[in-house]
Every structure is written in C-alpha cells, then in structure tokens.
Amino acid sequence: MKHLPFFDKIPNFSNSLEVFKKHFFRVRFLAAFNILTVLILGALSVYAKLYNQGDGVERLFSDPFNFWFPYEGILTGVSEVLWCIPVAICAFTFGVVRQKDPRSRSAIFLFFSALLLGVFFLDDRFRMTLILSRLGISSKLINLCYGSAVFLYGVKFWRYIKTTPYLPLVAAFLLFAISRFEDRLESQSLGVHAMLEDGTKLLALLNLTLYFWHVCHQEIGRHLHLREEP
C-alpha cells in the first residue's frame, strides 16, 4: 500500500488550503502586512532571548490598568479612539472616491486630511513633540511646523471646505490650539488644567469626527449615485 503524506490523509485538506490561499491573497497587501508583522514580532522574540530582555519586550504590551482606579485614563482612551475614526474614514473614503476620479477635489482633500490627522495622532499618541524636544529640537519650531501645515491645508482646500458644514472643523482646530498652548496659561488648578488641555482636545476630536463622518458619508453616497447612472 502506498504510503501517503500525513496531510493527504485529512479529507479535503488540499482543497481547503487552496481556498484559504485564494481568499488570503484576494485582499491587496494582506499577505505583506501579515508577514511584516510576524517578522517584527519574531525579531523582538529573538532579541529578548539573546539579550535577556524579556521584561523589556513585555512592557511593549503592558496594560496601563490601575486596579484601584479603574476609571484612570478612560477619557484619554476615548480620545485615542476618536483620533482613529476620522483618519480611518478619510483614508477609506479616499480609496472609494479615487476609483471614479483620482484627481477630484474631494479625493485630494480626504487624502491630505487623513495624512494631516494621522501625523497629529502619532504625535499625540507617541509624544513625538516631547521626544524631539528632549533631543534638542525646539518645541516652538515643531508647533510652527504644525501651525504652518494647518494654515496651508486651510488655504489649499478652503474652496472645497466652504461647500461643507465647516463650523465643526474650524471649532476643532481652534480647540486644538487651546489644548496645545494651555501650558502657557500657568493654571494653578489641576482640574482646570485637565479641562483646558485634555477636555478641549476631547471636544475637538468629537467635532472633528462628526464633521468627517458627515463629509465622508456624503462623498460615498455621491460616488454610489454616479456609479448607478448609465
């Protein structure tokens, strides 16, 4: 009797494997991102093993949970979730709209919106300004770069922004400015300091999310309507 490999003995294993591969490679970049992530995690595991840095690697996945104060940081977590929403929906809507007209005003607007908000999110989440200032780069220079980017963004897309209900967008950037420069007010109260820095940021993110949710909803609806036309 011919000796079959182990996996050949499993019914429909080959067919299931082919179906899995087909679905896995249908989504563009799915394989690349999975392989890249596995390589990074594998490299971290090897590093931890070779240099006895298991505790250091474990800190990368540590949960900032305080048993005695379970509410600690909850609004910061909400802010981080709100940060991700406009970035994600702008990027997704850009991908949808550019299929019809890659050079349309709305597609370019959504692309640069996702890019600008993504940079701000990374700065806020990973404290990039603080890290760069510790390396000798002036925080004033960083704030000047961010302010210039917002100014150029507004000038470039103002004609398009005027066609949208832009009040939440303007309010969001004003609130971001208050949050960014709150430390210059030298408030003596911790509660007032938290409200002026983190409370205004939370309110800004709420307005930003609602604005881009509305704009992206309209753009996708318009895109679907155009596709249905003969």
Side-chain angles (χ1 to χ4, degrees), residues 63-65 70-86 121 124-125 127 198-199 201-202 205-206 209:
D63 188 1
F65 174 73
Y71 60 85
E72 186 173 288
I74 188 170
L75 292 181
T76 298
V78 171
S79 295
E80 291 175 356
V81 171
L82 287 175
W83 259 126
C84 296
I85 293 174
F121 167 70
D124 183 69
R125 180 64 183 85
R127 305 295 186 265
D198 299 311
K201 183 174 69 176
L202 178 61
L205 289 169
L206 178 62
T209 300

Side-chain angles (χ1 to χ4, degrees), residues 13-205:
F13 176 80
S14 299
N15 293 336
S16 301
L17 183 60
E18 289 299 323
V19 171
F20 173 78
K21 289 169 60 178
K22 179 180 177 181
H23 282 277
F24 188 78
F25 287 102
R26 278 181 63 185
V27 182
R28 188 177 298 177
F29 305 126
L30 181 61
F33 279 111
N34 275 274
I35 293 171
L36 179 61
T37 304
V38 170
L39 290 175
I40 293 174
L41 295 176
L44 285 173
S45 300
V46 172
Y47 169 79
K49 182 68 175 178
L50 293 178
Y51 296 96
N52 196 25
Q53 295 292 327
D55 292 341
V57 173
E58 186 178 2
R59 290 193 187 97
L60 297 175
F61 298 95
S62 62
D63 188 1
F65 174 73
N66 189 330
F67 177 80
W68 301 107
F69 302 99
Y71 60 85
E72 186 173 288
I74 188 170
L75 292 181
T76 298
V78 171
S79 295
E80 291 175 356
V81 171
L82 287 175
W83 259 126
C84 296
I85 293 174
V87 176
I89 60 176
C90 283
F92 174 79
T93 308
F94 163 72
V96 173
V97 172
R98 76 181 185 124
Q99 295 178 3
K100 184 68 176 179
D101 185 4
R103 297 185 178 275
S104 68
R105 286 189 305 165
S106 58
I108 298 173
F109 170 71
L110 292 171
F111 172 78
F112 280 99
S113 296
L115 183 63
L116 183 66
L117 297 178
V119 171
F120 286 163
F121 167 70
L122 292 176
D123 180 278
D124 183 69
R125 180 64 183 85
F126 297 105
R127 305 295 186 265
M128 299 303 297
T129 297
L130 180 60
I131 293 173
L132 292 174
S133 63
R134 294 289 178 86
L135 295 175
I137 300 177
S138 173
S139 60
K140 293 181 180 179
L141 177 60
I142 299 172
N143 290 330
L144 178 62
C145 292
Y146 285 155
S148 300
V150 172
F151 176 77
L152 293 174
Y153 170 83
V155 170
K156 174 67 176 178
F157 298 110
W158 179 241
R159 292 180 60 187
Y160 176 81
I161 293 173
K162 284 195 301 183
T163 65
T164 67
Y166 58 84
L167 182 60
L169 181 65
V170 175
F173 281 117
L174 290 176
L175 289 167
F176 278 137
I178 296 174
S179 175
R180 191 81 179 183
F181 296 103
E182 186 280 332
D183 57 338
R184 301 181 183 276
L185 301 178
E186 298 182 355
S187 173
Q188 299 297 322
S189 171
L190 292 177
V192 172
H193 171 78
M195 286 299 108
L196 287 176
E197 181 176 2
D198 299 311
T200 53
K201 183 174 69 176
L202 178 61
L203 187 59
L205 289 169

